[in-house]
Amino acid sequence: MGCGSSFDASDGPRTVVIFGSTGLLGGAIARRLLQEPFLYKVRCVTRRSSSEKARQLAEHGAVIVNADLGETKSLEKALEGADIMFLTTHYWDERNKEKEVIKGLNAIDAAIQCGVKHIIFNGSENVKKIIGKECNHLDSKSAIEEYIREVDNPSVDVTGLNHVMPEVTTNGIGINFTILRLPFWLENFYSVFKPHKLKHAVYAVALPLEGCELDMMSVEDVGEVIASILRRPRQYYGKTLNLSAEALSMENIVDTFNRHFDNRKFTDPKIRVKDMEKFQFPGAKDLAAMFEFYQSGEAVRDIKLTRKLNPHAMTFDRWLSENRDKVEEALREAN
């Protein structure tokens, strides 16, 4: 698979460059790999090397590197001598699909230029192709995915990518890559999708599932998934790994909240995708499209594979037990 050199864990410490290392996903991966300094030299890329999160990573042994996905030279410097790159891109800072795609392509090109042996990317299905509606924060990642596949195999259809970046061309040089497709993050329950207050001690968990189950997983558990992949990298070259710790209905989710917070009442307001589309906050239509995609049956996730890669991946029940304080704080902010 691919023409890049490959390696086993026995080859000695490998340099892993992690983008988004001061965010939830990259941070979880960095913290996990830093636990094995004899196996990994962790290089964390950030635009804010003086931040508290960057300082904490440095204290645990990470090398902090300033780089910007919009600046090719800084990316090449960050990736110089690296064996592995974990790449996640972020739509919500600027809410601009084209800019996110360009930044992702910059990182892929820089990794190839620097001879990185294994690229792991946080990707996505093409939601627009599946349901006919724009879902910018997922469709952008799908476009970057398509570019990675085209670099590896020039016969791959990149129609979706060329729509975004018509000037993109590749030479089919071949790379070793692994794609992750993640489910709904449990951490959303104390951030974007925290329960909102209806009245005193009564909260709504407003997810438009409309009778469907939702695949979910803690971001923190992705770190162990990456460690498992890197223990046997050849097994995962060219693979797309669809992750989920469990799938729950709204009834399951609400019942779990009520078990853990006996001083509050949680309810399901039974909102629909078409209700969310009408919300006025920025990105509402993208999030509505995401949930319509989840309902489509095309967002296939593999719980068995996920538990093979991380046997200790948390259920929602366990996660809520271990993160009660964070959810409690989010609920106080909702007052």
Side-chain angles (χ1 to χ4, degrees), residues 6-17 33 36-43 81-84 117-118 226-234 237:
S6 59
F7 40 72
D8 290 315
S10 60
D11 292 341
R14 289 166 280 166
T15 299
V16 185
V17 175
L33 298 186
E36 299 186 272
F38 295 107
L39 290 179
Y40 309 110
K41 297 177 181 178
V42 178
R43 193 182 297 171
D83 298 296
I84 302 150
K117 301 175 184 70
H118 188 184
I226 296 297
S228 291
I229 292 168
L230 296 183
R231 279 194 287 271
R232 298 178 180 84
R234 287 191 183 96
Y237 288 163

Side-chain angles (χ1 to χ4, degrees), residues 121-318:
F121 177 62
N122 171 31
S124 174
E125 296 88 343
N126 187 320
V127 174
K128 184 178 181 182
K129 189 177 292 186
I130 293 169
I131 67 169
K133 294 179 182 179
E134 297 275 1
C135 184
N136 287 306
H137 66 291
L138 297 183
D139 290 340
S140 53
K141 293 170 181 61
S142 174
I144 299 166
E145 248 198 54
E146 290 182 56
Y147 182 71
I148 293 171
R149 297 181 196 281
E150 170 64 8
V151 170
D152 186 64
N153 180 359
S155 67
V156 170
D157 178 11
V158 292
T159 304
L161 175 60
N162 291 335
H163 174 70
V164 178
M165 292 289 292
E167 72 277 17
V168 166
T169 59
T170 63
N171 58 13
I173 61 172
I175 56 173
N176 296 316
F177 70 87
T178 305
I179 303 295
L180 302 185
R181 289 180 177 169
L182 302 182
F184 184 86
W185 295 3
L186 293 176
E187 286 73 11
N188 287 326
F189 285 124
Y190 60 69
S191 56
V192 181
F193 292 103
K194 64 185 178 186
H196 65 266
K197 187 175 182 180
L198 298 177
K199 57 184 179 180
H200 178 67
V202 179
Y203 294 81
V205 185
L207 303 180
L209 299 189
E210 301 182 59
C212 297
E213 291 188 333
L214 180 65
D215 281 292
M216 50 181 60
M217 182 179 188
S218 171
V219 173
E220 201 63 31
D221 285 330
V222 181
E224 184 60 38
V225 168
I226 296 297
S228 291
I229 292 168
L230 296 183
R231 279 194 287 271
R232 298 178 180 84
R234 287 191 183 96
Q235 288 188 19
Y236 301 103
Y237 288 163
K239 299 292 179 62
T240 299
L241 308 180
N242 300 295
L243 303 180
S244 171
E246 66 179 339
L248 297 180
S249 67
M250 276 302 300
E251 182 180 6
N252 299 145
I253 293 167
V254 169
D255 285 349
T256 304
F257 269 112
N258 282 320
R259 283 201 309 275
H260 284 270
F261 294 89
D262 55 8
N263 58 335
R264 293 183 172 89
K265 174 69 175 175
F266 294 85
T267 65
D268 172 14
K270 300 188 184 303
I271 70 166
R272 300 161 297 176
V273 165
K274 63 182 180 180
D275 298 323
M276 181 169 278
E277 286 176 337
K278 297 174 184 177
F279 293 166
Q280 296 303 305
F281 63 84
K285 285 185 171 58
D286 289 315
L287 294 176
M290 178 183 77
F291 280 103
E292 185 170 340
F293 166 60
Y294 288 160
Q295 291 180 25
S296 71
E298 298 293 329
V300 178
R301 299 293 180 261
D302 191 334
I303 295 172
K304 185 177 179 180
L305 171 65
T306 304
R307 296 207 169 275
K308 175 186 174 183
L309 291 165
N310 183 353
H312 305 292
M314 288 182 281
T315 62
F316 179 43
D317 184 71
R318 181 181 153 202

Side-chain angles (χ1 to χ4, degrees), residues 313-327:
M314 288 182 281
T315 62
F316 179 43
D317 184 71
R318 181 181 153 202
W319 178 88
L320 201 49
S321 177
E322 295 188 10
N323 290 271
R324 182 189 168 96
D325 289 348
K326 292 179 181 178
V327 176

Side-chain angles (χ1 to χ4, degrees), residues 22-34:
T22 56
L24 282 174
L25 180 57
I29 293 166
R31 288 189 295 275
R32 173 60 185 84
L33 298 186
L34 283 166

